[in-house]
Amino acid sequence: MSDRIFGGIGLILALFYGWQAAIIQESFLTDTVGPKMFPFIIAAMMGLSSVYFLLKPDPEPHWPRAGRLAEIGLAALVLAAYAELLPVAGFLISTAIAAAYLTWRLGSGLIESLIIGVGTSVGIYVIFRLVLGLSLARGPFGF
Amino acid sequence: MELLSSLADGFAVALTWQNIGLALLGCFLGTIMGALPGLGPSNGVAILIPLAFTLGLGATPSLILLTSVYYGAMYGGRISSILLNIPGDEPAMMTCLDGYPMAQQGRAGEALALSGVASFVGAFFATWGLVFLAPQLVKVALLFGPAEYFALFALAFATLGGISSTNQAKSAFAAALGLGLAMIGVDTQTGVPRFTFGEVHLYDGIDFLVAIVGLFALSEVFIFLEHRGTDRDISDKPRMKIGKIIPSWKLIRYCTPTMLRTTGLGFLAGVLPGAGASLGSFISYSMEKRLVDRKGTFGKGDPRGVAAPEAGNNAAAGGALVPMLALGVPGSGTTAVLLAVLLALNITPGPLLFSQNPDVVWGLIAALFIGNIMLLAMNIPMVGLFTRVLMVPPRILMPIVAMVSFVGIYGISGSSFDLLVMVGFGVMGWVLRKLDVPLVPVILGTLLGNEMEVNFRRAVNISNGDYWTLVGSPLAITLWAIAIAGFVLPILVGGVIRKRMRMPKDNEGAVTD
């Protein structure tokens, strides 16, 4: 079933891609092939393979239970929030929070997670900012 | 002789303190990354590219650092195969078969030392192979026009799934996805925006480094979250006693014929498109088993069963660099990632690389020789240190991997938008891996997409819109024929090979070479 759903999504994606390719605004200066042809070929390839998944799906993969799925979704959200937080709160604080969250979800104890989070953040800061001189995100406090 | 003088020039480039230091660092990090299950050569190199880039390293030093990581990871994979019976990366899968039984018999140190020597033999001779074969291939490649290049790219995609691929339609889908992503941004030839939906951030296209780090490194974090507390959690496996780690001459002599034979075989597997290091170690092991296993000791801790796959996979790693350097078309995951390094540094890979940037090519090759000797030195006396690294539990390691990935990408662009795109790729990578869709064609598509389109359009433009020009020369037809054969063959014979390779294997095909 998963493969069928995947094939369906792939087919929609291919059609959408083809449609987006068709509405590309061509400039008056164009070569004989133009900017649309290659995307059309790609859309066709994607569509054909999607049809294949619809017709001949592989055996069902082993999906995690709903709880674990939520876990992965939440981790992705935390990482996205981290990306947004970086320029606002600075590297040290946001990284400590994100790393603590990840290690907690991967099975560290609560207190231990906080220590690992801060340790990871400070460790990366020392190696990459102080030793190697890379520019990391600066927050209101300058770190 | 000309080759040898080029090589000597290469040594002159490589033998600076900075480059030697980088090679040492790369070998060390690579061995650790190879040894840790969950971090293989491709994601190890992927995490480090943005860093090398933001540190402002030049082309040769960056390549030296990253290929040392590549070679190092090939060495390191065996450590966890032998001690934990879990391959540290996919090519080290076959080493489990005899390595772990040897460790159980209390001969772990011997197995580690022998496999270290075998890795050295494989990698050393393969690097010589690279020296001699790559310039020959360059001569052929200089005959290529745009139509032939287009066919060559198609060949790379068609064979990338490899002989052991499960579902060719999924490889095709992955390739289309990657190529499709590459099209995003302003068209290089006519200047019109494509698939940007008016979003200014997308006008430059999607940075392939963002895609690579997201797909390889972040998706690994999600896989670990998924498997926490299950039997794939290695944190609570029993530790092995190592024993003595100096290999006896007798043992090495006993295994020498095996090592030499499998080096040749592995190198070939590496050069050929669609084979790669995993298949190299697999055929090496199977061939040796056929040839020398008269008493049925293979699989029960035969030292030759440790030497064969290790020499094979390290030779294949060297072999895989041949098409990457000479043609600009990688045949495996990690070489695809290495290609990204070249592209990120604005160096056009392919035959012209040898004439335009000989310092880069020969400096790199010389660094490989140096790195190899360092790796041998590191891997025999210091193997105890690396086994201690295996004790770092994933719950600490994986957050570090994630955070370092963010640091690298943020260092390049300094924009949150790219980080969000990277998280998106991480999730996509996880879903694709669950669905058994290979990630390497996606990467290769984003890397080569524009180049492939340029050649396609150039070929057709030259012939005034005649599409038949794409199959207009014998060379192009040959390339297309190989491409089609490479795509169809796995469907016909793949099942048999897959069944045999399946024995010790992780399901997600996580850490490819």
Side-chain angles (χ1 to χ4, degrees), chain B residues 225-464:
Chain B
L225 270 173
E226 184 196 340
H227 290 290
R228 166 179 47 107
T230 58
D231 53 336
R232 285 192 51 203
D233 206 336
I234 53 145
S235 19
D236 39 54
K237 278 246 174 184
R239 300 283 143 196
M240 282 284 171
K241 272 190 121 137
I242 309 268
K244 66 168 174 124
I245 45 173
I246 304 296
S248 62
W249 276 118
K250 211 178 120 212
L251 191 64
I252 291 178
R253 260 211 310 275
Y254 176 60
C255 296
T256 301
T258 297
M259 287 191 246
L260 292 179
R261 274 194 297 266
T262 51
T263 296
L265 206 60
F267 182 73
L268 261 179
V271 174
L272 292 176
S278 307
L279 197 77
S281 72
F282 167 72
I283 36 179
S284 298
Y285 185 86
S286 339
M287 185 199 75
E288 271 317 293
K289 192 177 157 125
R290 281 252 163 101
L291 270 179
V292 296
D293 184 22
R294 299 220 177 70
K295 294 186 192 130
T297 49
F298 267 53
K300 296 183 188 127
D302 192 309
R304 288 169 303 185
V306 176
E310 277 306 311
N313 85 36
N314 283 278
L321 287 173
V322 174
M324 201 279 275
L325 286 175
L327 304 175
V329 176
S332 72
T334 317
T335 43
V337 180
L338 286 172
L339 182 73
V341 184
L342 289 174
L343 293 174
L345 293 162
N346 262 332
I347 295 173
T348 315
L352 294 179
L353 185 67
F354 279 75
S355 48
Q356 283 171 354
N357 302 77
D359 53 325
V360 175
V361 181
W362 293 106
L364 171 68
I365 293 175
L368 290 177
F369 280 113
I370 299 168
N372 241 321
I373 292 168
M374 286 179 183
L375 279 167
L376 181 69
M378 250 186 230
N379 270 276
I380 293 195
M382 283 167 65
V383 81
L385 181 75
F386 291 116
T387 59
R388 219 151 292 147
V389 173
L390 283 179
M391 308 231 199
V392 179
R395 68 191 160 86
I396 297 178
L397 181 75
M398 292 326 283
I400 298 180
V401 169
M403 296 296 120
V404 173
S405 316
F406 276 95
V407 169
I409 296 298
Y410 193 83
I412 297 180
S413 65
S415 88
S416 290
F417 180 81
D418 278 356
L419 297 182
L420 288 174
V421 174
M422 180 174 84
V423 175
F425 272 109
V427 176
M428 186 170 102
W430 181 76
V431 175
L432 291 179
R433 270 158 73 162
K434 286 311 275 182
L435 290 167
D436 215 6
V437 176
L439 297 182
V440 178
V442 183
I443 297 294
L444 202 62
T446 51
L447 282 176
L448 296 180
N450 289 313
E451 195 62 19
M452 188 167 176
E453 190 195 12
V454 166
N455 279 298
F456 169 68
R457 281 161 78 167
R458 196 175 289 156
V460 179
N461 280 337
I462 292 171
S463 65
N464 287 320

Side-chain angles (χ1 to χ4, degrees), chain B residues 116-132:
Chain B
V117 174
S119 298
F120 175 78
V121 172
F124 181 75
F125 286 108
T127 312
W128 276 115
L130 174 65
V131 169
F132 289 108

Side-chain angles (χ1 to χ4, degrees), chain A residues 17 32 35 68 83 105 112, chain B residues 180 194 226 228 395 416 461:
Chain A
Y17 199 85
T32 38
R68 280 293 163 93
R105 292 322 304 161
E112 200 190 354
Chain B
R194 296 191 287 182
E226 184 196 340
R228 166 179 47 107
R395 68 191 160 86
S416 290
N461 280 337

Side-chain angles (χ1 to χ4, degrees), chain A residues 3 17 25 31-32 35 42 49 52-53 58 61-62 68 71-72 75 83-84 87 103 105-106 108 112 134, chain B residues 55 167 169-170 173 176 180 183 187 192 194 225-226 228 395 403 406 416 419-420 430 434 453 457 461:
Chain A
D3 261 24
Y17 199 85
Q25 287 280 326
D31 51 346
T32 38
I42 296 171
S49 41
Y52 182 86
F53 306 144
D58 278 346
H62 191 78
R68 280 293 163 93
E71 179 97 56
I72 290 168
E84 291 290 358
T103 181
R105 292 322 304 161
L106 282 163
S108 308
E112 200 190 354
L134 225 71
Chain B
L55 284 174
N167 187 339
K170 288 194 168 164
F173 182 86
M183 294 299 109
D187 174 28
V192 296
R194 296 191 287 182
L225 270 173
E226 184 196 340
R228 166 179 47 107
R395 68 191 160 86
M403 296 296 120
F406 276 95
S416 290
L419 297 182
L420 288 174
W430 181 76
K434 286 311 275 182
E453 190 195 12
R457 281 161 78 167
N461 280 337

Side-chain angles (χ1 to χ4, degrees), chain B residues 191-249:
Chain B
V192 296
R194 296 191 287 182
F195 309 101
T196 53
F197 311 103
E199 172 73 60
V200 189
H201 287 298
L202 290 175
Y203 272 55
D204 282 345
I206 289 181
D207 189 336
F208 47 79
L209 292 179
V210 174
I212 290 176
V213 177
L215 284 175
F216 280 156
L218 278 192
S219 72
E220 196 63 43
V221 177
F222 295 131
I223 293 274
F224 269 88
L225 270 173
E226 184 196 340
H227 290 290
R228 166 179 47 107
T230 58
D231 53 336
R232 285 192 51 203
D233 206 336
I234 53 145
S235 19
D236 39 54
K237 278 246 174 184
R239 300 283 143 196
M240 282 284 171
K241 272 190 121 137
I242 309 268
K244 66 168 174 124
I245 45 173
I246 304 296
S248 62
W249 276 118

